[in-house]
Amino acid sequence: MSTPLLQVRNLKVSFSREGVWTEAVHGIDLDVFAGRTLGLVGESGSGKSVSSLAVMRLLNEKLSRISADNITIEGTEIKAYSERQMADVRGKRIAMIFQEPMTSLNPVYKCGFQVTEMILQHEEVSKAEAKKRVIKLFEQVMLPRPKAIYDSYPHELSGGQKQRVMIAMAIACNPKLLIADEPTTALDVTVQLEILKLLRKLQAETGMGMIFITHDLGVVAEIADDVAVMHNGEILERGTVQDILNHPQHPYTQGLLACRPPMDVRLKRLPIVKEFLDGEWQGGKQQILHDLRIGDEERQNHLNALYSRDPLLKVEHLQTWYPLRKGVFGRVYDYVKAVDDVTLDVYEGETLGLVGESGCGKTTLGRSILRLAEPTGGKVWFDGIEVTALKGQALRDFRRQAQIVFQDPYSSLNPRMTIGEAIAEPMRVHWRAGDTRPSISSDALRKAVCELLEQVGLKAEHYDRYPHEFSGGQRQRICIARALAVNPRLVICDESVSALDVSVQAQVLNLLNRLKEERRLTYIFISHDLSVVRFMSDRVVVMFNGRPVEINEADALFEHPLNAYTQKLIDALPGKNHYFNNTSGPML
């Protein structure tokens, strides 16, 4: 093979905390070739992003130490470059797409200006010529209305559109190497597929090399030529994408593949990475299918028992419209029909999946059922009580029986409250709300919270810690414990695992299913990830433009979709044709 476009040897990165230096990346080697994509795979904290930031020299020099035998781009050693020299390298020779575009784009500047600024910094062109190039770039990344988006602020764009602006900025100066750090995490599968196609197209046209950082091996299957698997700051395994996906050698890689919900088989629970590292799945995929697969007869008996019951929740012709106003007097000239004439039933003990792209109305529907967003029409019935007619104490009593787990656990928790206080708060509120119930003592409250923490896989001693002291997966467990604190019957999970690593995601999904059985819960599970929805759901509702376009039993819907939009979502699922979604494929 030719000389690497980027070559990194023995890269080490350490960080200082309270004067103590801890090594986070332990002497890794990287090779990236022109026209090829290296997939850098691993869980959060494995060192993927840190390694790329070290190559770009974007880490805080006071809090980090970087050492390497060599870091070369096109054969030129850049390890000892000054900050001024690195400023010329960034954007021109190496560019980076960051994971969260909203935090990467300046909210007070228009999108077009920010991309134009990149061109003006590295090339001697007029502002008018730079603007023309930016509009052409926006067309190239398939942004709708490029001229309008040039004059738009970041908050006026969708997540997928902001990500395309970031891609346009990254490729504005035709870099030799593009580093894409989780550029599709938490995006709809259809938008994700379009972005992956776009990156492949740009690579084919320019011959640039690419490092694609992700925790999702399904995405790697779609985009990468070569793969390096990282864990705890080390590269455990590397090879071509075919070798890694079809013949993974390290138990950690096997675990990453196995904990992703399969699309062609239903499992009782998902395997987790720790079980592979502990040697519990020596038989690989065939052992998993033998031990965890749910048989067709068992599945049918479950559905027959489930739907012989009465619905717990009934939604009738529900509407939630938002007025669009203009003029000095705020005249309403139209409506955004976020939820538009939705009718459905949810049975006690069921998990009903809600899927669809961003803006389809699934989150608004969940919030409208709980009256967190006030419906403008229709009715909601819960256990025979009309929720849409409730007020005051009666509405608060309903919310004790129906809780929600939001997508972002960090923003859902008060950073100034310990997690014990956060879980105890709904208990105090609802104990005060009832006149006939006795008050609860502080000792009894703490004991109840500690029991909940242990039930969701945390420890009682975590009670006095704050949200920032936990990982994303642990914070999501805290939010689940808080939702369960008042013993609800219905829990709405709104994209509650979409931003988690696949391994952590598997643990949280298993936890939700275990709690459902232990507490006889009913779930509405909202997600854009179809593989997760199929694993979790008994039935699935596909939403489009505020309305259900298809409702069916989960396996039947995915195996024989009746609506073209449903088929489009299934076709966009990354890695759906690769071995971990194929029970006849090779062993792990």
Side-chain angles (χ1 to χ4, degrees), residues 339-403:
V339 175
D340 191 22
D341 194 22
V342 173
T343 296
L344 54 86
D345 293 337
V346 183
Y347 290 80
E348 189 165 12
E350 179 181 27
T351 297
L352 181 73
L354 284 183
V355 299
E357 298 171 286
S358 294
C360 70
K362 55 188 188 294
T363 292
T364 305
L365 175 58
R367 293 173 65 88
S368 299
I369 288 170
L370 297 182
R371 297 270 303 277
L372 297 176
E374 201 61 43
T376 52
K379 295 181 179 181
V380 176
W381 298 80
F382 181 83
D383 201 17
I385 298 172
E386 186 184 345
V387 174
T388 40
L390 297 178
K391 295 180 181 179
Q393 183 61 50
L395 180 58
R396 285 191 290 273
D397 285 343
F398 160 70
R399 286 179 176 156
R400 182 167 54 85
Q401 300 186 71
Q403 290 285 303

Side-chain angles (χ1 to χ4, degrees), residues 419 423 449-460 462-463:
I419 65 155
I423 296 171
V449 170
C450 290
E451 288 175 355
L452 269 173
L453 286 172
E454 291 176 350
Q455 195 171 16
V456 299
L458 297 173
K459 298 179 180 178
H462 290 155
Y463 185 102

Side-chain angles (χ1 to χ4, degrees), residues 51-198:
S51 300
S52 296
L53 291 170
V55 170
M56 295 278 284
R57 297 263 295 279
L58 290 175
L59 296 173
N60 188 315
E61 293 184 357
K62 294 181 180 179
L63 299 178
S64 65
R65 288 177 180 169
I66 303 169
S67 68
D69 292 346
N70 66 279
I71 302 175
T72 62
I73 180 76
E74 294 184 292
T76 302
E77 177 64 69
I78 64 171
K79 181 181 65 174
Y81 268 20
S82 66
E83 179 56 33
R84 169 171 269 182
Q85 289 174 307
M86 282 304 301
D88 291 333
V89 169
R90 298 185 198 114
K92 185 67 176 176
R93 300 175 72 184
I94 307 177
M96 191 165 186
I97 305 169
F98 297 96
Q99 178 174 354
E100 179 45 66
M102 195 62 209
T103 58
S104 304
L105 293 170
N106 192 319
V108 302
Y109 290 109
K110 293 179 179 178
C111 294
F113 171 82
Q114 297 186 57
V115 183
T116 301
E117 188 180 36
M118 171 71 73
I119 296 173
L120 294 175
Q121 180 178 348
H122 291 284
E123 299 184 21
E124 294 183 3
V125 297
S126 66
K127 289 184 179 180
E129 177 61 27
K131 180 176 180 179
K132 287 181 182 178
R133 282 179 54 178
V134 172
I135 292 174
K136 187 175 180 180
L137 279 168
F138 284 178
E139 292 173 352
Q140 194 175 4
V141 299
M142 295 181 289
L143 277 166
R145 302 172 291 105
K147 292 182 180 178
I149 286 181
Y150 185 95
D151 291 317
S152 298
Y153 290 95
H155 73 270
E156 298 178 285
L157 307 184
S158 70
Q161 289 172 338
K162 285 193 284 280
Q163 196 63 281
R164 289 165 191 249
V165 170
M166 286 297 301
I167 293 172
M169 185 183 298
I171 65 172
C173 296
N174 298 314
K176 299 294 184 181
L177 174 67
L178 178 65
I179 301 175
D181 187 2
E182 300 272 14
T184 60
T185 297
L187 293 180
D188 296 331
V189 287
T190 50
V191 176
Q192 177 177 253
L193 182 62
E194 289 175 5
I195 287 177
L196 295 178
K197 287 180 178 177
L198 169 64

